[in-house]
Amino acid sequence: MVNRGCSLLFIIIYAFIFCFGFSKPQMVPAVYVFGDSLVDVGNNNFLPLSIAKANHPHYGIDFPTHKPTGRFSNGKNAADFIGEKLGLATSPPYLSLVSKANKNNASFMGGVSFASAGAGIFDGTDEIYRQSVPLTKQVDQFSTVHEEMTKEVGAAALQKHLSKSIFVVVIGSNDIFGYFQSSGLRKKNTPQQYVDSMASSLIVQLQRLYDGGGRKFEIVGVGEVGCCPALRLKNKTECVVEANYWAVKYNEGLQSMLKEWQLKNEGIVYSYFDTYAAIHHLVQAPASYGFTEVKAACCGLGELNARAPCLPLSNLCSNRQDHIFWDQFHPTEAASRIFTDEIFDGSSGYTSPINMRQLVTA
Ligand SMILES: *[C@@H]1O[C@H](CO)[C@@H](O)[C@H](O)[C@H]1NC(C)=O
Ligand SMILES: *[C@@H]1O[C@H](CO)[C@@H](O)[C@H](O)[C@H]1NC(C)=O
């Protein structure tokens, strides 16, 4: 009897370790995500008129379900990996939580993603066509969520919850692309005015999140946008220098405004990630990360697989692990995983003033 009891206990303990031992402990109460297609986990699938959707093959081919999910990736994206690092499930899309199916039982306390492919810091013309939810509108949605959570747990508990949660903001690339595609914008603003205005407009939205209770911010700068396959087509497969130059200028302006913003507001902690430097290093030294193809997209058509979007009939590379770019604009799962490792541990020195691991305990 004793022996059997013992071995049963042993089995239970063993099962417990097996089931839970490998999952990471939850490090923060929740993650609230704002941004564009780099972190969209399915919001745009709920925009009936939007064509900015990753709801068809070959998107999702390496996702655990092997099905398209709305992520602009062959598999997971940075939002998923950030969740994993923090021991949390990926924050679900806001538009799924308020959809008919979930309306009555959804909670926002476990985190929400407001990110929408095509979104910019500025409300673009795409808003008219309801192609995406721009940042301002994402923050409006957060205000709605804030009211709901206040009803659910009360103001004091909510403040505590939000002050320990992480607010992730990944945006700006679409504004830069927009500027170089629109002669109207170029006539109205010099590039310097434009990138300054991007950064100051972002701070306005961050301030709204702070006023709503956010304290811990993960802010991701704009990447080396001139080197994505779509832009390389404009320069004989080389990077477009001007787009990269203004991405850097924007990032510089943003970093100095973030410092000022922190000084003006009690209790803000943030980690800034220099995506530009991170991608630049991947493109310069791909072999050290296991990549062999830095220019061409994995999924697409024509030169660099960048003449057409990733569609069911597009070419698909056989090894998604050796490509940095998945489609015309977006990184592969493999590249996103590397960026997230760097965001979290700051191992390559691309985070300032602290990395995300320090942000958690700050
Ligand atoms: C809400 O309930 C429905 C029906 O039971 C279920 O399918 C859905 O997954 C639930 N949603 C959430 C967010 O728990
Ligand atoms: C095209 O690429 C070359 C080589 O990197 C660079 O010198 C040149 O400035 C680029 N042109 C444009 C328009 O970006």
Side-chain angles (χ1 to χ4, degrees):
M1 267 320 261
V2 173
N3 255 338
R4 271 175 84 184
C6 254
S7 50
L8 187 62
L9 185 64
F10 204 82
I11 289 168
I12 291 171
I13 291 172
Y14 206 82
F16 191 82
I17 292 171
F18 186 76
C19 293
F20 300 104
F22 297 114
S23 73
K24 291 184 92 186
Q26 186 178 330
M27 298 171 86
V28 295
V31 180
Y32 295 91
V33 183
F34 302 82
D36 56 28
S37 55
L38 294 169
V39 284
D40 187 348
V41 289
N43 271 311
N44 277 26
N45 285 349
F46 291 86
L47 302 177
L49 301 178
S50 179
I51 55 160
K53 281 183 188 159
N55 60 352
H56 53 76
H58 303 288
Y59 287 104
I61 188 166
D62 299 312
F63 198 74
T65 57
H66 305 291
K67 292 210 169 73
T69 62
R71 288 165 178 78
F72 287 75
S73 168
N74 54 308
K76 296 177 179 177
N77 68 23
D80 299 300
F81 291 128
I82 287 174
E84 283 178 15
K85 292 277 182 198
L86 297 169
L88 288 164
T90 303
S91 301
Y94 170 74
L95 294 177
S96 83
L97 294 174
V98 296
S99 69
K100 255 195 200 135
N102 295 323
K103 214 178 167 91
N104 300 316
N105 56 349
S107 170
F108 303 118
M109 297 293 287
V112 182
S113 170
F114 303 91
S116 164
I121 295 169
F122 298 130
D123 301 351
T125 47
D126 58 345
E127 196 196 5
I128 300 164
Y129 303 108
R130 301 193 197 167
Q131 296 284 341
S132 65
V133 184
L135 183 63
T136 316
K137 191 93 175 288
Q138 293 180 28
V139 179
D140 293 346
Q141 291 174 338
F142 174 72
S143 303
T144 309
V145 161
H146 190 277
E147 280 172 32
E148 291 298 320
M149 290 192 292
T150 306
K151 280 185 220 155
E152 196 178 330
V153 301
L158 180 60
Q159 179 51 45
K160 200 169 166 212
H161 170 84
L162 292 177
S163 69
K164 291 181 177 170
S165 296
I166 305 237
F167 287 68
V168 174
V169 184
V170 182
I171 199 138
S173 309
N174 290 319
D175 301 282
I176 302 261
F177 290 131
Y179 184 78
F180 289 102
Q181 274 159 15
S182 156
S183 54
L185 283 175
R186 298 185 75 135
K187 268 185 211 138
K188 261 190 268 168
N189 312 274
T190 68
Q192 187 67 58
Q193 287 168 336
Y194 186 79
V195 297
D196 286 347
S197 163
M198 276 174 64
S200 56
S201 304
L202 177 54
I203 298 286
V204 170
Q205 299 310 316
L206 293 176
Q207 183 70 38
R208 291 177 67 201
L209 295 178
Y210 172 84
D211 293 340
R215 292 296 178 270
K216 299 185 178 204
F217 296 87
E218 174 63 48
I219 315 288
V220 173
V222 167
E224 202 173 22
V225 287
C227 298
C228 71
L231 268 73
R232 278 183 186 269
L233 288 185
K234 299 183 195 293
N235 189 23
K236 303 188 188 95
T237 83
E238 296 304 313
C239 304
V240 173
V241 168
E242 206 186 7
N244 282 346
Y245 180 81
W246 291 107
V248 170
K249 287 286 166 194
Y250 163 73
N251 288 338
E252 285 173 4
L254 176 61
Q255 285 179 81
S256 68
M257 286 188 208
L258 283 172
K259 283 180 198 149
E260 281 172 37
W261 179 59
Q262 185 180 38
L263 287 175
K264 276 191 217 142
N265 297 278
E266 178 98 34
I268 290 176
V269 275
Y270 73 87
S271 171
Y272 169 81
F273 180 63
D274 188 350
T275 323
Y276 190 98
I279 299 183
H280 186 74
H281 195 238
L282 276 195
V283 171
Q284 295 305 308
S288 53
Y289 300 89
F291 293 109
T292 54
E293 180 55 68
V294 304
K295 290 186 176 182
C298 171
C299 182
L301 282 173
E303 196 179 359
L304 297 184
N305 272 342
R307 291 266 173 226
C310 179
L311 295 166
L313 289 173
S314 297
N315 298 325
L316 176 68
C317 68
S318 54
N319 187 355
R320 269 86 66 186
Q321 300 293 326
D322 65 17
H323 279 62
I324 293 178
F325 287 97
W326 161 246
D327 65 9
Q328 293 168 304
F329 296 102
H330 304 102
T332 51
E333 176 186 88
S336 299
R337 179 181 277 119
I338 291 167
F339 297 144
T340 313
D341 287 347
E342 291 170 345
I343 287 173
F344 199 71
D345 281 311
S347 48
S348 309
Y350 303 138
T351 57
S352 62
I354 55 175
N355 62 35
M356 191 186 254
R357 189 186 286 282
Q358 294 165 317
L359 186 64
V360 168
T361 53

